[in-house]
């Protein structure tokens, strides 16, 4: 037990960042721990904002919801660029080429700021039109356009926080990425009530105060990431001269990022269609489904940590000319993830009623949520491999293959199957849940078969 805590502290401190030698199990643990905590911190932004904004008015919450729905495109691009950043930087680090790694980071920053300005400026200028387009009434637009304007104006901070985290993960500096999110969330939590409700000389700003607090927090986190990447003594060092545009690196970055962005959009769109199908069965069904999804997402955070760890390990080891170690690392991370999700699946199946009861007591809502959780968890063993292997392919720079797999499994199979089972075969909501379990399992099988062919080992980034 003492050894475990020493290892945990080492992971949090980030005492290691090069994973092309030594124990693979240790490498997975050292990368996974800070990555899991980083993701938990990122998810806290939405929770904290809604918690405080809900104390203002329902209209304020609606403003946040409408703005966040449009911001999906910003998050999609940020996630795609972050995926590409991890692939590029991890490959250069594995090659032992710190200078090229630094150039890659600089190009990531340039592209991030450029795209953020292209999206953020029109979003800020046309904030009222955006809310109107999303169905907001005139009162909501009048009171909430300031929030929307501020959030879009903060697009550089939003995108950089994602992309610089991807650079740090690729460099093996997962603990630094984690700490940047601690800083960002700490400031957001402290400043939200101050700017929303007013304190001392600071006037009450309402929902706009939430946007200001979030922007300050994210900006501070991004500044910390930049400082960490540019200071001496780190495995990746960015010099001022690296910020000259390099068309070859930028072209490579955007090519990889396109696949990462598409993967997120494909997955997000599929959930929207599934929710639309479920909405025909009433609000109780949608509520139960929503609760089940929130529980599932929160509990599989460690799985995403292991999947991201696999991406870094694959990238670094391919760069070091060790494709077999890269493959072994991915399989080992997938096996660890399978053991974890198997335990979670057993817990969900046996204790679903008690777990859902913590969130809602309505019998109809609980019944749907329990049914959803139990069906989903039957596919957890497959989910475990699908998550890790897909991220391993991304880490190798092959974002196109997972994107095509997602399109086939989610749009060609999952959505039509959900409609057929739910409506044509009269399975109701249960049919939608089974379509998800089947499609996610199929995705895992296809991803494993593709990964075993080994073409990802030949991808140049």
């Amino acid at each position: 037990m003492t050894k475990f805590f020493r290892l945990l502290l080492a992971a949090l401190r980030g005492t290691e960042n090069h994973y092309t030698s030594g124990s693979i199990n240790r490498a997975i643990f050292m990368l996974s721990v800070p990555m899991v905590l980083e993701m938990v911190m990122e998810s806290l932004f939405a929770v904290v904002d809604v918690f405080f904004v809900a104390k203002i008015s329902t209209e304020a919450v609606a403003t946040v919801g409408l703005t966040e729905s449009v911001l999906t495109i910003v998050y999609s691009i940020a996630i795609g660029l972050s995926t590409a950043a991890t692939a590029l930087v991890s490959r250069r680090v594995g090659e032992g080429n710190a200078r090229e790694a630094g150039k890659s980071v600089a190009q990531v920053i340039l592209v991030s700021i450029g795209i953020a300005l292209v999206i953020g400026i029109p979003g800020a200028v046309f904030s009222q039109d955006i809310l109107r387009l999303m169905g907001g009434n005139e009162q909501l637009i009048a009171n909430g356009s300031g929030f929307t304007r501020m959030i879009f104006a903060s697009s550089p901070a939003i995108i950089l926080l994602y992309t610089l985290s991807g650079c740090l993960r690729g460099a093996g500096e997962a603990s630094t990425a984690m700490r940047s999110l601690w800083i960002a969330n700490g400031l957001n939590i402290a400043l939200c009530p101050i700017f929303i409700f007013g304190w001392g000389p600071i006037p009450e700003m309402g929902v706009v105060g939430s946007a200001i607090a979030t922007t300050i927090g994210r900006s501070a986190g991004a500044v910390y990431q930049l400082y960490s990447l540019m200071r001496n003594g780190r495995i990746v060092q960015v010099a001022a001269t690296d910020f000259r545009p390099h068309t070859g690196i930028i072209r490579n970055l955007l090519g990889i990022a396109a696949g990462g962005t598409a993967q997120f959009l494909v997955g997000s769109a599929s959930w929207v269609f599934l929710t639309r199908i479920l909405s025909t069965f009433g609000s109780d069904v949608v509520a139960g489904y929503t609760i089940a999804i929130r529980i599932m997402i929160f509990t599989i955070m460690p799985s995403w940590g292991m999947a991201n760890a696999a991406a870094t390990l694959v990238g670094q080891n391919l760069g070091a000319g060790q494709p077999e170690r890269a493959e072994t690392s991915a399989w080992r991370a997938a096996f660890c993830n399978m053991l974890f999700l198997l335990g979670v699946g057993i817990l969900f199946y046996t204790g679903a009623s008690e777990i859902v009861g913590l969130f809602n007591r309505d019998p109809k809502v609980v019944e749907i949520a329990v049914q959803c959780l139990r069906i989903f968890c039957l596919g957890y063993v497959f989910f475990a491999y699908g998550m890790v292997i897909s991220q391993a392919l991304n880490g190798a720079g092959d974002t196109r293959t997972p994107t095509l797999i997602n399109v086939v499994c989610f749009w060609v199979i999952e959505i039509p199957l959900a409609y057929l089972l739910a409506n044509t075969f009269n399975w109701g909501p249960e049919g939608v849940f089974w379509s998800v379990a089947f499609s996610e399992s199929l995705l895992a099988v296809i991803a494993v078969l593709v990964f075993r062919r080994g073409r990802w080992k030949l991808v140049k980034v």
Side-chain angles (χ1 to χ4, degrees):
M1 187 62 70
T2 304
K3 183 179 179 181
F4 170 79
F5 281 112
R6 280 203 301 267
L7 194 62
L8 179 62
L9 287 174
L12 294 175
R13 289 171 181 161
T15 55
E16 297 178 20
N17 48 35
H18 212 288
Y19 300 99
T20 55
S21 61
S23 169
I24 292 176
N25 289 342
R26 177 186 175 89
I28 292 171
F29 183 85
M30 295 290 285
L31 284 168
S32 297
V33 169
M35 287 181 181
V36 169
L37 294 176
E38 178 194 346
M39 294 189 66
V40 171
M41 290 297 104
E42 180 60 41
S43 67
L44 272 179
F45 269 111
V47 174
V48 170
D49 288 349
V50 170
F51 175 79
F52 286 114
V53 168
K55 298 182 183 301
I56 303 173
S57 66
T58 301
E59 184 182 80
V61 176
T63 299
V64 174
L66 293 178
T67 303
E68 287 290 325
S69 64
V70 179
L71 275 178
T72 299
I73 187 171
V74 178
Y75 293 130
S76 300
I77 292 171
I79 289 170
L81 286 172
S82 179
T83 300
T86 299
L88 283 173
V89 175
S90 63
R91 187 69 69 94
R92 300 293 88 84
V93 168
E95 293 169 351
N97 196 337
R99 288 302 309 123
E100 286 299 315
K103 288 180 182 178
S104 296
V105 171
Q107 302 309 301
V108 168
I109 294 171
L110 287 177
V111 171
S112 298
I113 293 175
I115 292 177
L117 292 176
V118 169
I119 296 174
I121 292 174
V125 172
F126 299 105
S127 57
Q128 293 187 354
D129 300 282
I130 289 172
L131 290 177
R132 189 172 289 111
L133 183 66
M134 293 303 295
N137 57 43
E138 291 305 315
Q139 183 178 346
L140 182 148
I141 293 169
N143 296 330
S145 60
F147 173 87
T148 305
R149 186 179 303 113
M150 187 67 195
I151 289 295
F152 270 97
S154 71
S155 292
I158 294 172
I159 294 181
L160 281 172
L161 199 62
Y162 273 97
T163 56
L164 292 179
S165 287
C167 291
L168 289 164
R169 286 195 296 268
E173 300 274 3
S175 61
T176 303
M178 171 195 69
R179 285 192 290 272
S180 71
L181 267 296
W182 285 357
I183 292 170
N185 270 288
L187 283 171
N188 187 41
I189 292 170
L191 295 178
C192 253
I194 294 175
F195 284 112
I196 290 174
F197 307 112
W199 183 73
I202 299 175
E204 180 180 339
M205 300 182 191
V207 68
V208 176
S210 169
I212 294 173
T214 300
T215 299
I216 292 174
R218 282 180 169 143
S219 298
V223 168
Y224 175 77
Q225 292 173 332
L226 280 170
Y227 165 75
S228 299
L229 286 165
M230 298 189 73
R231 66 177 175 169
N232 293 327
R234 312 303 290 184
I235 192 168
V236 173
Q237 296 175 23
V238 185
T241 55
D242 294 333
F243 286 93
R244 295 193 189 98
H246 192 295
T247 55
I249 297 176
I250 291 175
R251 190 183 304 113
N252 202 6
L253 173 70
L254 293 177
I256 299 172
T261 298
Q263 286 175 50
F264 183 81
L265 288 175
V266 167
S268 299
S270 70
W271 288 109
V272 171
F273 283 112
L274 293 178
T275 303
R276 179 66 184 84
I277 294 172
L278 287 169
S279 68
T280 62
F281 297 98
S283 58
D284 289 338
V285 171
V286 175
Y289 170 73
T290 302
I291 290 171
I293 292 296
R294 295 294 172 87
I295 292 171
M296 186 183 77
I297 289 174
F298 185 77
T299 53
I300 64 174
M301 284 289 182
S303 293
W304 283 115
M306 281 181 266
N308 288 332
T312 297
L313 288 169
V314 166
Q316 285 198 6
N317 283 288
L318 285 179
Q322 301 183 85
E324 299 311 314
R325 180 178 169 86
E327 183 173 5
T328 302
S329 298
W331 289 125
R332 194 76 56 82
F335 180 73
C336 292
N337 197 24
M338 184 271 291
L339 292 179
F340 169 73
L341 283 186
L342 180 62
V344 172
I346 293 172
L347 175 65
F348 278 175
Y349 198 87
T350 57
S353 298
E354 290 75 13
I355 295 170
V356 172
L358 297 173
F359 296 85
N360 195 291
R361 294 289 184 181
D362 186 300
K364 292 183 179 178
V365 173
V366 171
E367 179 185 356
I368 292 297
V370 168
Q371 184 184 63
C372 181
L373 271 182
R374 285 179 171 165
I375 292 174
F376 279 6
C377 72
L378 292 176
Y380 266 20
V381 171
F382 290 95
F383 293 179
Y385 277 87
M387 293 166 66
V388 173
I389 298 304
S390 292
Q391 278 298 87
L393 290 170
N394 286 330
D398 181 11
T399 56
R400 182 174 177 271
T401 299
T403 301
L404 293 175
I405 295 173
N406 282 5
V407 169
V408 171
C409 292
F410 294 152
W411 286 4
V412 177
I413 296 176
E414 183 181 75
I415 296 171
L417 181 63
Y419 183 84
L420 285 173
L421 292 178
N423 297 297
T424 305
F425 293 98
N426 297 318
W427 286 23
E430 185 178 352
V432 176
F433 305 152
W434 277 114
S435 76
V436 174
F438 174 78
S439 300
E440 291 278 4
S441 300
L442 179 63
L443 182 150
V445 171
I446 295 174
V448 166
L449 292 174
V450 169
F451 190 77
R452 287 176 66 89
R453 294 174 67 182
R455 291 185 179 178
W456 55 272
K457 298 176 185 177
L458 305 176
V459 175
K460 303 295 182 183
V461 301

PDB file of all heavy atoms in Angstrom, residues 6 29 41 101 107 145 164-165 177 181 200 203 222 236 268 274 278 285 287 303 324 334 338 345 412 419-420 446:
ATOM      1  N   ARG A   6       3.178   6.037  -2.959  1.00  0.00           N
ATOM      2  CA  ARG A   6       4.372   6.686  -3.498  1.00  0.00           C
ATOM      3  C   ARG A   6       4.241   6.866  -5.011  1.00  0.00           C
ATOM      4  O   ARG A   6       4.607   7.908  -5.570  1.00  0.00           O
ATOM      5  CB  ARG A   6       5.630   5.865  -3.170  1.00  0.00           C
ATOM      6  CG  ARG A   6       6.152   6.067  -1.758  1.00  0.00           C
ATOM      7  CD  ARG A   6       7.634   5.703  -1.685  1.00  0.00           C
ATOM      8  NE  ARG A   6       7.879   4.325  -2.081  1.00  0.00           N
ATOM      9  CZ  ARG A   6       7.934   3.290  -1.242  1.00  0.00           C
ATOM     10  NH1 ARG A   6       7.756   3.480   0.067  1.00  0.00           N
ATOM     11  NH2 ARG A   6       8.167   2.064  -1.686  1.00  0.00           N
ATOM     12  N   PHE A  29      -0.196   3.793 -15.520  1.00  0.00           N
ATOM     13  CA  PHE A  29      -0.663   4.383 -14.262  1.00  0.00           C
ATOM     14  C   PHE A  29      -0.219   5.839 -14.146  1.00  0.00           C
ATOM     15  O   PHE A  29      -1.010   6.729 -13.815  1.00  0.00           O
ATOM     16  CB  PHE A  29      -0.124   3.579 -13.072  1.00  0.00           C
ATOM     17  CG  PHE A  29      -0.617   4.070 -11.734  1.00  0.00           C
ATOM     18  CD1 PHE A  29      -1.839   3.647 -11.233  1.00  0.00           C
ATOM     19  CD2 PHE A  29       0.137   4.970 -10.983  1.00  0.00           C
ATOM     20  CE1 PHE A  29      -2.297   4.107 -10.006  1.00  0.00           C
ATOM     21  CE2 PHE A  29      -0.312   5.427  -9.760  1.00  0.00           C
ATOM     22  CZ  PHE A  29      -1.534   4.997  -9.270  1.00  0.00           C
ATOM     23  N   MET A  41     -11.826  17.770 -13.907  1.00  0.00           N
ATOM     24  CA  MET A  41     -11.770  19.226 -13.767  1.00  0.00           C
ATOM     25  C   MET A  41     -12.453  19.928 -14.937  1.00  0.00           C
ATOM     26  O   MET A  41     -13.169  20.914 -14.754  1.00  0.00           O
ATOM     27  CB  MET A  41     -10.314  19.679 -13.668  1.00  0.00           C
ATOM     28  CG  MET A  41      -9.589  19.318 -12.389  1.00  0.00           C
ATOM     29  SD  MET A  41     -10.317  20.094 -10.920  1.00  0.00           S
ATOM     30  CE  MET A  41     -11.187  18.686 -10.217  1.00  0.00           C
ATOM     31  N   ALA A 101       9.678  19.068 -31.650  1.00  0.00           N
ATOM     32  CA  ALA A 101       8.515  19.039 -30.758  1.00  0.00           C
ATOM     33  C   ALA A 101       8.112  20.460 -30.395  1.00  0.00           C
ATOM     34  O   ALA A 101       6.920  20.802 -30.376  1.00  0.00           O
ATOM     35  CB  ALA A 101       8.831  18.237 -29.503  1.00  0.00           C
ATOM     36  N   GLN A 107       3.267  25.766 -33.650  1.00  0.00           N
ATOM     37  CA  GLN A 107       2.299  25.759 -34.752  1.00  0.00           C
ATOM     38  C   GLN A 107       0.892  25.453 -34.246  1.00  0.00           C
ATOM     39  O   GLN A 107      -0.094  25.988 -34.756  1.00  0.00           O
ATOM     40  CB  GLN A 107       2.712  24.735 -35.821  1.00  0.00           C
ATOM     41  CG  GLN A 107       4.095  24.972 -36.416  1.00  0.00           C
ATOM     42  CD  GLN A 107       4.307  26.384 -36.909  1.00  0.00           C
ATOM     43  OE1 GLN A 107       3.582  26.868 -37.765  1.00  0.00           O
ATOM     44  NE2 GLN A 107       5.316  27.061 -36.348  1.00  0.00           N
ATOM     45  N   SER A 145     -27.577  38.192 -24.151  1.00  0.00           N
ATOM     46  CA  SER A 145     -26.625  38.372 -25.252  1.00  0.00           C
ATOM     47  C   SER A 145     -25.231  38.733 -24.748  1.00  0.00           C
ATOM     48  O   SER A 145     -24.225  38.398 -25.389  1.00  0.00           O
ATOM     49  CB  SER A 145     -27.128  39.440 -26.225  1.00  0.00           C
ATOM     50  OG  SER A 145     -27.278  40.689 -25.563  1.00  0.00           O
ATOM     51  N   LEU A 164      -3.331  22.966 -25.757  1.00  0.00           N
ATOM     52  CA  LEU A 164      -2.097  22.931 -24.979  1.00  0.00           C
ATOM     53  C   LEU A 164      -2.077  21.731 -24.042  1.00  0.00           C
ATOM     54  O   LEU A 164      -1.012  21.169 -23.760  1.00  0.00           O
ATOM     55  CB  LEU A 164      -1.918  24.235 -24.201  1.00  0.00           C
ATOM     56  CG  LEU A 164      -1.658  25.479 -25.064  1.00  0.00           C
ATOM     57  CD1 LEU A 164      -1.511  26.723 -24.191  1.00  0.00           C
ATOM     58  CD2 LEU A 164      -0.413  25.295 -25.923  1.00  0.00           C
ATOM     59  N   SER A 165      -3.254  21.323 -23.571  1.00  0.00           N
ATOM     60  CA  SER A 165      -3.328  20.079 -22.789  1.00  0.00           C
ATOM     61  C   SER A 165      -2.910  18.900 -23.652  1.00  0.00           C
ATOM     62  O   SER A 165      -2.209  18.000 -23.194  1.00  0.00           O
ATOM     63  CB  SER A 165      -4.756  19.856 -22.264  1.00  0.00           C
ATOM     64  OG  SER A 165      -5.063  20.755 -21.219  1.00  0.00           O
ATOM     65  N   ALA A 177      -0.775  19.366 -17.321  1.00  0.00           N
ATOM     66  CA  ALA A 177      -2.104  19.621 -17.892  1.00  0.00           C
ATOM     67  C   ALA A 177      -3.169  19.553 -16.810  1.00  0.00           C
ATOM     68  O   ALA A 177      -4.101  20.371 -16.783  1.00  0.00           O
ATOM     69  CB  ALA A 177      -2.393  18.602 -18.995  1.00  0.00           C
ATOM     70  N   LEU A 181      -5.821  22.724 -15.213  1.00  0.00           N
ATOM     71  CA  LEU A 181      -7.273  22.653 -15.030  1.00  0.00           C
ATOM     72  C   LEU A 181      -7.656  22.921 -13.580  1.00  0.00           C
ATOM     73  O   LEU A 181      -8.732  23.467 -13.304  1.00  0.00           O
ATOM     74  CB  LEU A 181      -7.808  21.288 -15.484  1.00  0.00           C
ATOM     75  CG  LEU A 181      -8.291  21.180 -16.936  1.00  0.00           C
ATOM     76  CD1 LEU A 181      -9.500  22.075 -17.162  1.00  0.00           C
ATOM     77  CD2 LEU A 181      -7.196  21.536 -17.917  1.00  0.00           C
ATOM     78  N   GLY A 200     -18.400  43.581  -2.465  1.00  0.00           N
ATOM     79  CA  GLY A 200     -17.562  44.750  -2.259  1.00  0.00           C
ATOM     80  C   GLY A 200     -17.712  45.725  -3.416  1.00  0.00           C
ATOM     81  O   GLY A 200     -18.829  46.091  -3.808  1.00  0.00           O
ATOM     82  N   PRO A 203     -19.724  45.060  -8.828  1.00  0.00           N
ATOM     83  CA  PRO A 203     -21.187  45.099  -8.924  1.00  0.00           C
ATOM     84  C   PRO A 203     -21.777  43.743  -9.320  1.00  0.00           C
ATOM     85  O   PRO A 203     -21.082  42.884  -9.849  1.00  0.00           O
ATOM     86  CB  PRO A 203     -21.431  46.133 -10.025  1.00  0.00           C
ATOM     87  CG  PRO A 203     -20.221  46.032 -10.902  1.00  0.00           C
ATOM     88  CD  PRO A 203     -19.083  45.749  -9.967  1.00  0.00           C
ATOM     89  N   ALA A 222      -4.636  28.521 -19.390  1.00  0.00           N
ATOM     90  CA  ALA A 222      -3.881  28.517 -20.649  1.00  0.00           C
ATOM     91  C   ALA A 222      -2.528  29.214 -20.489  1.00  0.00           C
ATOM     92  O   ALA A 222      -1.516  28.762 -21.041  1.00  0.00           O
ATOM     93  CB  ALA A 222      -4.696  29.206 -21.745  1.00  0.00           C
ATOM     94  N   VAL A 236       9.918  19.416 -23.635  1.00  0.00           N
ATOM     95  CA  VAL A 236       9.602  20.179 -24.834  1.00  0.00           C
ATOM     96  C   VAL A 236       9.812  21.656 -24.522  1.00  0.00           C
ATOM     97  O   VAL A 236       9.270  22.166 -23.544  1.00  0.00           O
ATOM     98  CB  VAL A 236       8.136  19.957 -25.277  1.00  0.00           C
ATOM     99  CG1 VAL A 236       7.773  20.884 -26.425  1.00  0.00           C
ATOM    100  CG2 VAL A 236       7.920  18.514 -25.695  1.00  0.00           C
ATOM    101  N   SER A 268     -21.438  13.059 -31.247  1.00  0.00           N
ATOM    102  CA  SER A 268     -22.394  14.005 -30.660  1.00  0.00           C
ATOM    103  C   SER A 268     -23.705  14.008 -31.432  1.00  0.00           C
ATOM    104  O   SER A 268     -24.790  14.012 -30.832  1.00  0.00           O
ATOM    105  CB  SER A 268     -21.797  15.417 -30.657  1.00  0.00           C
ATOM    106  OG  SER A 268     -20.627  15.471 -29.886  1.00  0.00           O
ATOM    107  N   LEU A 274     -30.626  10.033 -31.208  1.00  0.00           N
ATOM    108  CA  LEU A 274     -31.180   9.052 -30.270  1.00  0.00           C
ATOM    109  C   LEU A 274     -32.135   9.720 -29.282  1.00  0.00           C
ATOM    110  O   LEU A 274     -33.203   9.183 -28.962  1.00  0.00           O
ATOM    111  CB  LEU A 274     -30.060   8.342 -29.513  1.00  0.00           C
ATOM    112  CG  LEU A 274     -29.152   7.419 -30.334  1.00  0.00           C
ATOM    113  CD1 LEU A 274     -28.058   6.827 -29.456  1.00  0.00           C
ATOM    114  CD2 LEU A 274     -29.960   6.294 -30.986  1.00  0.00           C
ATOM    115  N   LEU A 278     -36.131   9.017 -28.597  1.00  0.00           N
ATOM    116  CA  LEU A 278     -36.660   8.750 -27.258  1.00  0.00           C
ATOM    117  C   LEU A 278     -37.707   9.778 -26.842  1.00  0.00           C
ATOM    118  O   LEU A 278     -38.621   9.461 -26.067  1.00  0.00           O
ATOM    119  CB  LEU A 278     -35.516   8.737 -26.238  1.00  0.00           C
ATOM    120  CG  LEU A 278     -34.594   7.513 -26.282  1.00  0.00           C
ATOM    121  CD1 LEU A 278     -33.360   7.737 -25.416  1.00  0.00           C
ATOM    122  CD2 LEU A 278     -35.335   6.266 -25.808  1.00  0.00           C
ATOM    123  N   VAL A 285     -39.183   9.327 -20.133  1.00  0.00           N
ATOM    124  CA  VAL A 285     -38.178   8.499 -20.809  1.00  0.00           C
ATOM    125  C   VAL A 285     -36.903   9.305 -21.040  1.00  0.00           C
ATOM    126  O   VAL A 285     -35.799   8.827 -20.781  1.00  0.00           O
ATOM    127  CB  VAL A 285     -38.727   7.959 -22.149  1.00  0.00           C
ATOM    128  CG1 VAL A 285     -37.610   7.292 -22.949  1.00  0.00           C
ATOM    129  CG2 VAL A 285     -39.866   6.971 -21.903  1.00  0.00           C
ATOM    130  N   ALA A 287     -35.909  11.932 -19.414  1.00  0.00           N
ATOM    131  CA  ALA A 287     -35.291  12.211 -18.116  1.00  0.00           C
ATOM    132  C   ALA A 287     -34.512  11.004 -17.598  1.00  0.00           C
ATOM    133  O   ALA A 287     -33.373  11.137 -17.125  1.00  0.00           O
ATOM    134  CB  ALA A 287     -36.364  12.610 -17.105  1.00  0.00           C
ATOM    135  N   SER A 303     -11.677   5.418 -17.492  1.00  0.00           N
ATOM    136  CA  SER A 303     -11.488   4.745 -18.774  1.00  0.00           C
ATOM    137  C   SER A 303     -10.911   5.689 -19.809  1.00  0.00           C
ATOM    138  O   SER A 303     -10.030   5.322 -20.593  1.00  0.00           O
ATOM    139  CB  SER A 303     -12.822   4.184 -19.277  1.00  0.00           C
ATOM    140  OG  SER A 303     -13.267   3.139 -18.449  1.00  0.00           O
ATOM    141  N   GLU A 324       6.424  -2.396 -31.677  1.00  0.00           N
ATOM    142  CA  GLU A 324       5.911  -3.533 -30.895  1.00  0.00           C
ATOM    143  C   GLU A 324       5.583  -3.107 -29.470  1.00  0.00           C
ATOM    144  O   GLU A 324       4.594  -3.560 -28.884  1.00  0.00           O
ATOM    145  CB  GLU A 324       6.939  -4.674 -30.895  1.00  0.00           C
ATOM    146  CG  GLU A 324       7.247  -5.228 -32.282  1.00  0.00           C
ATOM    147  CD  GLU A 324       5.992  -5.546 -33.072  1.00  0.00           C
ATOM    148  OE1 GLU A 324       5.069  -6.162 -32.505  1.00  0.00           O
ATOM    149  OE2 GLU A 324       5.921  -5.175 -34.260  1.00  0.00           O
ATOM    150  N   ALA A 334      -5.854  -1.447 -22.752  1.00  0.00           N
ATOM    151  CA  ALA A 334      -7.210  -1.938 -23.024  1.00  0.00           C
ATOM    152  C   ALA A 334      -7.614  -3.013 -22.026  1.00  0.00           C
ATOM    153  O   ALA A 334      -8.763  -3.046 -21.559  1.00  0.00           O
ATOM    154  CB  ALA A 334      -7.284  -2.484 -24.448  1.00  0.00           C
ATOM    155  N   MET A 338     -10.613  -2.894 -19.427  1.00  0.00           N
ATOM    156  CA  MET A 338     -11.638  -3.933 -19.399  1.00  0.00           C
ATOM    157  C   MET A 338     -11.900  -4.397 -17.966  1.00  0.00           C
ATOM    158  O   MET A 338     -13.059  -4.571 -17.555  1.00  0.00           O
ATOM    159  CB  MET A 338     -11.208  -5.114 -20.270  1.00  0.00           C
ATOM    160  CG  MET A 338     -12.260  -6.217 -20.382  1.00  0.00           C
ATOM    161  SD  MET A 338     -12.119  -7.470 -19.074  1.00  0.00           S
ATOM    162  CE  MET A 338     -10.587  -8.266 -19.545  1.00  0.00           C
ATOM    163  N   GLY A 345     -19.503  -2.423 -14.513  1.00  0.00           N
ATOM    164  CA  GLY A 345     -20.684  -3.041 -15.102  1.00  0.00           C
ATOM    165  C   GLY A 345     -21.433  -3.922 -14.123  1.00  0.00           C
ATOM    166  O   GLY A 345     -22.665  -3.893 -14.053  1.00  0.00           O
ATOM    167  N   VAL A 412     -24.762   4.693 -39.739  1.00  0.00           N
ATOM    168  CA  VAL A 412     -25.296   3.680 -40.664  1.00  0.00           C
ATOM    169  C   VAL A 412     -26.035   2.573 -39.910  1.00  0.00           C
ATOM    170  O   VAL A 412     -27.015   2.019 -40.415  1.00  0.00           O
ATOM    171  CB  VAL A 412     -24.156   3.076 -41.518  1.00  0.00           C
ATOM    172  CG1 VAL A 412     -24.689   1.981 -42.432  1.00  0.00           C
ATOM    173  CG2 VAL A 412     -23.473   4.160 -42.342  1.00  0.00           C
ATOM    174  N   TYR A 419     -34.277   3.247 -34.418  1.00  0.00           N
ATOM    175  CA  TYR A 419     -35.629   3.569 -34.896  1.00  0.00           C
ATOM    176  C   TYR A 419     -36.424   2.297 -35.181  1.00  0.00           C
ATOM    177  O   TYR A 419     -37.605   2.195 -34.808  1.00  0.00           O
ATOM    178  CB  TYR A 419     -35.541   4.430 -36.156  1.00  0.00           C
ATOM    179  CG  TYR A 419     -36.897   4.861 -36.664  1.00  0.00           C
ATOM    180  CD1 TYR A 419     -37.520   5.984 -36.141  1.00  0.00           C
ATOM    181  CD2 TYR A 419     -37.565   4.113 -37.641  1.00  0.00           C
ATOM    182  CE1 TYR A 419     -38.772   6.378 -36.591  1.00  0.00           C
ATOM    183  CE2 TYR A 419     -38.813   4.495 -38.091  1.00  0.00           C
ATOM    184  CZ  TYR A 419     -39.411   5.628 -37.567  1.00  0.00           C
ATOM    185  OH  TYR A 419     -40.660   5.997 -38.007  1.00  0.00           O
ATOM    186  N   LEU A 420     -35.785   1.344 -35.857  1.00  0.00           N
ATOM    187  CA  LEU A 420     -36.483   0.096 -36.196  1.00  0.00           C
ATOM    188  C   LEU A 420     -36.913  -0.667 -34.947  1.00  0.00           C
ATOM    189  O   LEU A 420     -38.060  -1.105 -34.833  1.00  0.00           O
ATOM    190  CB  LEU A 420     -35.574  -0.785 -37.055  1.00  0.00           C
ATOM    191  CG  LEU A 420     -35.392  -0.369 -38.520  1.00  0.00           C
ATOM    192  CD1 LEU A 420     -34.326  -1.240 -39.176  1.00  0.00           C
ATOM    193  CD2 LEU A 420     -36.717  -0.484 -39.266  1.00  0.00           C
ATOM    194  N   ILE A 446     -14.614  -3.984 -34.661  1.00  0.00           N
ATOM    195  CA  ILE A 446     -13.991  -3.473 -35.889  1.00  0.00           C
ATOM    196  C   ILE A 446     -12.667  -2.789 -35.579  1.00  0.00           C
ATOM    197  O   ILE A 446     -11.663  -2.989 -36.280  1.00  0.00           O
ATOM    198  CB  ILE A 446     -14.946  -2.493 -36.605  1.00  0.00           C
ATOM    199  CG1 ILE A 446     -16.205  -3.221 -37.085  1.00  0.00           C
ATOM    200  CG2 ILE A 446     -14.241  -1.834 -37.797  1.00  0.00           C
ATOM    201  CD1 ILE A 446     -17.259  -2.311 -37.670  1.00  0.00           C
TER     202      ILE A 446
END
